[in-house]
């Protein structure tokens, strides 16, 4: 797939259809690889700069998708798993070994820690001649034309930060249309974009925001970015929510802001937090409906990639099928 294909698969709910599949010639692949910019240029928008003139492998797609939805701590864990010899740098072989692990784990449907260790031990013994090396733009960017460069953690973390920013900017600009802010209603629309809620449920939430927004103040990109980076740290925040639930205590806006700062280090703007409460304070008592918030945000954090793999069975599956058929008949 191209860099453009990757961005569209992440950002668009329904990526534009392609006109069949086609096979690239070696000359075409070589030309695309030659377009790879040098890492020394510190390109901020790598994917958007290259677009259809860069190629990714399927294993790279799985890897990028996984890292894209993880907090910064997740970057470091992944990097340490790459760095088998502990020199705080990884070479192309170490990177390829990790990609192979991602592919195996995705095919087996998961991966406990011991399974990962087992796979790592197995592939560490694979000789270079037996490794399936498919030259890609990402490999060329990280390890150079000869594949002999190494990658340090700071460069790797910067790459992932830039990729997250690229994706979030695309989502933001889809609604801002070149303006510096999006409305509160548009923020709600982005929030529910990748969730598994029915269309009617989404509209109920969005209508609630319309009714409760007395004065449109708008949400900037920085506020937007901070919120979705917080969502990538949702597991830590969930611990605090559980403590409130056990104590049978509702959560106010101030408590929400403090909990986010303590667990994730992100300082959310007052107005953005208020907008979130307008969405998830269903009974209007000024307290967060924790269960609904957590359920929707977990789905949103994974951009719907987990939900679409679940096949509903039994009565739930039957109802889902009936709903689908009714929609098709309308």
């Amino acid at each position: 797939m191209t860099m453009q294909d990757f961005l569209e698969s992440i950002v668009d709910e329904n990526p534009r259809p392609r006109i069949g599949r086609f096979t690239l010639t070696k000359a075409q692949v070589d030309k695309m690889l030659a377009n790879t910019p040098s890492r020394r240029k510190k390109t901020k928008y790598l994917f958007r700069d290259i677009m259809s003139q860069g190629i990714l492998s399927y294993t790279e797609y799985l890897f990028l998708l996984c890292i894209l939805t993880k907090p910064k701590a997740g970057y470091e864990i992944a990097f340490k798993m790459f760095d088998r010899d502990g020199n705080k740098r990884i070479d192309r072989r170490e990177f390829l070994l990790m990609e192979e692990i991602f592919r195996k784990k995705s095919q087996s449907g998961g991966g406990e820690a011991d399974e990962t260790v087992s796979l790592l031990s197995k592939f560490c013994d694979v000789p270079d001649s037996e490794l399936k090396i498919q030259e890609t733009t990402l490999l060329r960017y990280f390890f150079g034309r000869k594949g002999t460069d190494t990658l340090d953690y700071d460069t790797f973390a910067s790459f992932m930060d830039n990729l997250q920013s690229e994706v979030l900017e695309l989502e933001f600009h889809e609604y801002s249309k070149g303006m510096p802010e999006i409305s509160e209603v548009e923020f709600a629309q982005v929030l529910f974009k990748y969730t598994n809620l029915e269309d009617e449920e989404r509209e109920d939430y969005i209508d609630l925001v319309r009714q409760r927004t007395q004065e449109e103040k708008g949400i900037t990109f920085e506020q937007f970015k901070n919120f979705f980076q917080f969502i990538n740290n949702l597991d830590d925040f969930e611990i605090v929510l559980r403590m409130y639930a056990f104590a049978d205590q509702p959560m106010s806006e101030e408590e929400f802001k403090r909990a986010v700062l303590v667990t994730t280090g992100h300082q959310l703007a007052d107005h953005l937090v208020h907008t979130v409460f307008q969405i998830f304070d269903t009974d209007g008592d000024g307290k967060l409906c924790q269960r609904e918030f957590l359920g929707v945000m977990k789905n949103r954090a994974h951009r719907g990639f987990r939900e679409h793999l679940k096949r509903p069975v039994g009565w739930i599956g039957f109802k889902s099928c009936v709903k689908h058929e009714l929609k098709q008949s309308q």
Side-chain angles (χ1 to χ4, degrees):
M1 75 186 327
T2 66
M3 307 300 231
Q4 182 175 349
D5 293 332
F6 174 81
L7 288 177
E8 289 186 8
S9 73
I10 297 299
V11 174
D12 297 343
E13 280 189 292
N14 299 298
R16 60 187 176 84
R18 301 306 195 258
I19 306 175
R21 298 178 61 184
F22 60 93
T23 302
L24 294 173
T25 65
K26 185 180 185 303
Q28 288 174 314
V29 171
D30 290 342
K31 183 178 179 181
M32 294 172 82
L33 293 173
N35 288 325
T36 306
S38 169
R39 216 173 64 202
R40 296 182 183 88
K41 293 182 179 179
K42 297 182 178 180
T43 306
K44 184 177 180 181
Y45 302 115
L46 177 66
F47 282 65
R48 276 183 284 175
D49 286 347
I50 297 176
M51 294 298 278
S52 62
Q53 296 304 309
I55 54 174
L56 295 170
S57 69
Y58 177 62
T59 47
E60 286 172 347
Y61 176 82
L62 294 176
F63 163 68
L64 292 173
L65 179 62
C66 181
I67 298 298
L68 195 61
T69 59
K70 299 295 181 185
K72 286 187 178 181
Y75 302 178
E76 192 169 3
I77 292 170
F79 192 88
K80 286 180 178 178
M81 291 182 71
F82 287 154
D83 183 19
R84 294 182 297 110
D85 52 16
N87 65 355
K88 297 183 180 180
R89 305 183 72 87
I90 59 172
D91 57 28
R92 189 171 73 157
R93 175 184 171 83
E94 289 168 334
F95 186 82
L96 288 168
L97 289 172
M98 192 61 189
E99 282 194 333
E100 188 67 15
I101 289 172
F102 269 89
R103 183 179 70 83
K104 289 288 185 181
K105 287 176 68 175
S106 66
Q107 288 177 344
S108 64
E112 299 296 331
D114 56 349
E115 181 187 1
T116 300
V117 171
S118 174
L119 285 168
L120 184 59
S121 300
K122 175 182 178 182
F123 288 107
C124 281
D125 297 329
V126 177
D128 290 349
S129 58
E130 293 183 17
L131 282 175
K132 297 178 182 178
I133 301 179
Q134 178 183 345
E135 191 69 14
T136 65
T137 299
L138 196 59
L139 284 179
R140 179 69 62 91
Y141 179 73
F142 280 155
F143 305 107
R145 185 173 60 84
K146 295 181 180 180
T148 55
D149 294 350
T150 57
L151 181 65
D152 63 89
Y153 174 71
D154 288 341
T155 302
F156 176 69
S158 177
F159 167 81
M160 297 312 305
D161 279 341
N162 288 340
L163 178 57
Q164 281 196 352
S165 292
E166 271 198 87
V167 170
L168 290 172
E169 278 189 28
L170 286 172
E171 292 178 343
F172 183 84
H173 292 320
E174 180 184 347
Y175 289 87
S176 70
K177 309 298 182 186
M179 302 299 286
E181 298 173 343
I182 61 174
S183 70
E184 291 77 5
V185 170
E186 288 168 336
F187 174 75
Q189 289 171 336
V190 179
L191 206 58
F192 292 108
K193 188 174 180 181
Y194 304 102
T195 62
N196 63 341
L197 294 176
E198 297 291 338
D199 292 341
E200 294 82 359
E201 292 176 287
R202 293 191 195 190
E203 282 305 313
D204 287 343
Y205 278 113
I206 293 169
D207 283 341
L208 202 57
V209 179
R210 287 194 185 100
Q211 295 166 17
R212 292 177 171 179
T213 303
Q214 302 297 322
E215 178 186 355
E216 188 175 296
K217 295 182 179 179
I219 292 169
T220 67
F221 175 68
E222 279 305 310
Q223 294 169 349
F224 179 90
K225 181 180 177 180
N226 284 340
F227 181 79
F228 284 105
Q229 286 183 334
F230 146 64
I231 292 302
N232 282 353
N233 292 269
L234 203 59
D235 288 344
D236 293 332
F237 182 74
E238 185 180 3
I239 296 172
V240 177
L241 282 184
R242 285 179 178 172
M243 291 171 63
Y244 272 83
F246 288 149
D248 197 25
Q249 291 292 320
M251 179 174 279
S252 67
E253 291 184 23
E254 281 302 316
E255 290 163 337
F256 180 89
K257 277 185 59 183
R258 183 173 178 275
V260 171
L261 182 61
V262 168
T263 58
T264 70
H266 290 281
Q267 180 76 55
L268 300 184
D270 291 345
H271 176 59
L272 187 141
V273 172
H274 182 67
T275 302
V276 170
F277 270 65
Q278 296 303 298
I279 300 171
F280 293 102
D281 172 17
T282 52
D283 56 9
D285 65 351
K287 306 298 181 181
L288 183 73
C289 183
Q290 299 176 21
R291 184 175 181 182
E292 288 185 29
F293 173 79
L294 200 58
V296 171
M297 290 303 96
K298 278 190 172 183
N299 197 220
R300 176 56 170 83
H302 294 100
R303 297 176 173 272
F305 278 96
R306 287 187 176 180
E307 287 297 327
H308 85 283
L309 296 174
K310 296 179 182 179
R311 297 182 178 180
V313 296
W315 175 239
I316 296 175
F318 175 74
K319 287 197 296 183
S320 176
C321 181
V322 170
K323 285 182 180 179
H324 175 74
E325 291 300 321
L326 287 173
K327 282 186 179 181
Q328 292 295 103
S329 62
Q330 289 177 353

